[in-house]
Amino acid sequence: MSNDLFQKLGVSQKFQAALDAANFVTPSQIQDQAIPALIEGRDVLGIAQTGTGKTAAFGLPLLQRLDARNKPAQSNHPVGLVLAPTRELAIQIHTELTAFAAATPLRLGCIYGGVGQNPQVKMLRSGLDVLIATPGRLLDLISQQHVKLGHVEILVLDEADRLLDMGFIRDVKKIVAATPRKRQSLLFSATMPDAVSELAAEMLHKPVRVEVAPKQVTVEKIDQRVTMVATPDKLAAIEHILRRDDVKKAIAFTRTKHGADKVARKLRNAGINAEAIHGNKSQNARSRALDGFKNGDTWVLVATDIAARGIDIDGVTHVVNFELPHEPESYVHRIGRTGRAGAAGSAWSLVDPSEVKRLRAVERLIRMPITQEDLDIEVTVPVERIVQQQQKSHQEQGQKRRRPRRRRASRAAA
Ligand code: AMP
């Protein structure tokens, strides 16, 4: 099979067999945009989610440039370094890049925490051209002199927003500082919160920015409901929803990690088998929670937006938004976890009156109103009362704002 399209981007003939074997015929959008710039040696800021083909987008140019050096790496001195937030992602990248590197003499290795370090130390000693690592274990091995970053020529930060969410920012900065200033740098992230933009500005030199819009989910097929309920009554509301007969597997979303823990704990106390999954959990705890959810031991997963990214589990019948997300786009990502592969799915959002603006933003984005449904639960705070309080405080604020203007007007008149 010919692979003209990848070759047109500058990918060497050497990688063709691997591309054919992986059935990569047409480059994805991010590959189209990033590969030529990276082969040229430019820094790249890639805004793209998992599933867009970003691994090959940075991996093929990385391997091609390192192969062109024609010089094997020295013991303990990797030349290409890829940082990933989780063990799963690191392994996934390692597997994909190893397949692409088959026709080259390059040696690749992967290190992560939670397992013994001796095999990793031995592997590093043998000399790796490309090291794929999670930050914690890498720093550990650097401090023991098993890894030295002075020969790094290409540095990749993958899923930078998740690295930050998981609290790796300090570690990442230390690692970046340990590499030579003269290097090619790549940063990939699905979202660009301020902390990621700052990191990008620090570590990238005149980057080419490539951005791929996430795949649009067809939300029309998902049955969407909204229940107006005051925050203190949301636990009763979510419990009521989860106890419906048609709920087989559900993912509940909270905005904060703390919130995810709290909701999971309260649900467990109420006899609902729920587990929280977020960036502060250890790798093992997250794997356990996910496995339990996949095999049906746990039927409710309580997740934050970033932790839920990449979770692809069949049979999720319900998504419950314990709070609406700040970004309306996240609502679409969240509810896309249900109704996969043509299956029916339901998404339920619990909305406190303070979240109504966010609800309207979501409705504008999906271009349809969401059906409102009251639940048969006892509430401690009637929603109407909060709305009244809000209106009152708006009026008071309005009066405060108007007063100075009157003063200025009277001074002008005088
Ligand atoms: P990634 O975003 O790198 O995790 O890739 C998502 C999935 O798409 C992986 O299973 C890749 O193997 C696959 N993939 C990436 N690029 C292509 C391509 N150009 N053609 C076909 N499949 C691809």
Side-chain angles (χ1 to χ4, degrees):
M1 211 196 304
S2 99
N3 225 320
D4 289 336
L5 293 171
F6 277 93
Q7 279 170 40
K8 273 194 191 133
L9 298 180
V11 176
S12 145
Q13 181 81 23
K14 242 186 186 169
F15 296 99
Q16 180 160 335
L19 284 167
D20 289 347
N23 218 1
F24 282 24
V25 180
T26 313
S28 70
Q29 200 189 337
I30 188 100
Q31 289 160 3
D32 239 346
Q33 295 179 24
I35 289 176
L38 288 171
I39 288 181
E40 232 180 76
R42 298 284 306 267
D43 282 6
V44 163
L45 171 62
I47 304 165
Q49 297 200 324
T50 296
T52 52
K54 68 185 167 64
T55 317
F58 70 72
L60 288 166
L62 170 88
L63 296 171
Q64 183 157 323
R65 284 180 66 87
L66 295 185
D67 185 42
R69 290 172 77 243
N70 242 338
K71 198 162 70 176
Q74 287 177 21
S75 178
N76 305 105
H77 284 82
V79 188
L81 175 64
V82 182
L83 286 184
T86 64
R87 170 161 88 176
E88 291 93 345
L89 184 63
I91 294 173
Q92 206 176 304
I93 296 170
H94 180 236
T95 309
E96 189 162 341
L97 298 198
T98 303
F100 284 134
T104 74
L106 296 172
R107 281 164 306 167
L108 288 77
C110 186
I111 62 170
Y112 42 79
V115 294
Q117 72 168 46
N118 286 348
Q120 298 179 353
V121 168
K122 213 164 132 196
M123 174 180 78
L124 288 159
R125 201 177 304 131
S126 73
L128 293 177
D129 299 284
V130 182
L131 177 63
I132 298 128
T134 53
R137 176 54 60 99
L138 177 61
L139 274 180
D140 243 10
L141 295 182
I142 289 175
S143 70
Q144 298 172 50
Q145 312 272 316
H146 294 304
V147 189
K148 292 171 186 154
L149 299 186
H151 292 186
V152 169
E153 292 180 15
I154 307 179
L155 172 65
V156 183
L157 244 63
D158 197 13
E159 299 207 352
D161 50 356
R162 241 169 116 191
L163 279 166
L164 298 182
D165 182 60
M166 292 176 68
F168 284 135
I169 179 83
R170 288 256 263 344
D171 291 355
V172 168
K173 285 189 172 168
K174 267 192 221 159
I175 292 165
V176 174
T179 63
R181 284 183 75 84
K182 194 174 164 311
R183 52 161 205 260
Q184 185 181 19
S185 310
L186 291 63
L187 187 149
F188 282 80
S189 193
T191 56
M192 285 300 283
D194 289 348
V196 177
S197 304
E198 278 163 28
L199 187 66
E202 273 172 38
M203 85 173 246
L204 302 174
H205 176 68
K206 294 191 184 155
V208 175
R209 185 186 165 105
V210 294
E211 189 162 354
V212 175
K215 263 184 274 166
Q216 201 62 37
V217 196
T218 40
V219 294
E220 295 82 12
K221 287 197 195 125
I222 300 168
D223 177 36
Q224 300 170 64
R225 300 285 153 105
V226 164
T227 294
M228 299 303 297
V229 55
T231 300
D233 291 318
K234 283 190 176 182
L235 271 163
I238 192 171
E239 207 190 310
H240 183 88
I241 293 168
L242 292 173
R243 289 200 192 279
R244 289 165 53 111
D245 287 343
D246 55 341
V247 180
K248 303 281 180 263
K249 242 185 208 238
I251 302 183
F253 282 94
T254 59
R255 260 185 292 133
T256 64
K257 301 171 209 174
H258 176 70
D261 278 333
K262 194 168 138 193
V263 171
R265 195 174 56 242
K266 300 251 166 148
L267 288 176
R268 277 198 302 274
N269 289 346
I272 291 174
N273 210 350
E275 284 284 351
I277 177 161
H278 57 66
N280 281 1
K281 298 249 162 191
S282 73
Q283 192 65 54
N284 282 343
R286 276 184 295 141
S287 299
R288 255 200 323 274
L290 271 186
D291 289 346
F293 189 60
K294 276 185 201 158
N295 67 29
D297 290 345
T298 311
W299 53 279
V300 179
L301 204 59
V302 188
T304 56
D305 286 294
I306 289 179
R309 197 176 301 146
I311 296 180
D312 192 0
I313 295 169
D314 287 337
V316 175
T317 56
H318 287 71
V319 165
V320 185
N321 292 311
F322 194 78
E323 291 128 355
L324 283 177
H326 282 302
E327 309 286 334
E329 289 79 11
S330 298
Y331 173 87
V332 177
H333 295 158
R334 286 177 177 191
I335 73 168
R337 307 277 155 201
T338 177
R340 288 192 174 241
S346 301
W348 213 302
S349 301
L350 304 178
V351 177
D352 178 89
S354 63
E355 297 173 275
V356 166
K357 262 195 193 152
R358 269 186 239 144
L359 174 64
R360 300 291 168 246
V362 166
E363 289 178 327
R364 269 198 302 279
L365 180 74
I366 62 172
R367 296 206 182 90
M368 58 184 187
I370 305 178
T371 314
Q372 202 166 315
E373 185 167 325
D374 291 337
L375 298 177
D376 186 15
I377 54 169
E378 278 197 20
V379 295
T380 55
V381 189
V383 168
E384 300 72 36
R385 200 163 82 211
I386 306 181
V387 173
Q388 276 169 5
Q389 276 169 356
Q390 277 180 343
Q391 280 169 348
K392 205 169 139 212
S393 92
H394 280 154
Q395 278 167 0
E396 281 169 8
Q397 274 173 8
Q399 279 165 1
K400 267 189 215 143
R401 269 201 297 275
R402 272 196 299 278
R403 249 177 246 136
R405 240 181 273 140
R406 266 208 301 275
R407 259 209 301 278
R408 270 204 298 279
S410 60
R411 209 180 302 149

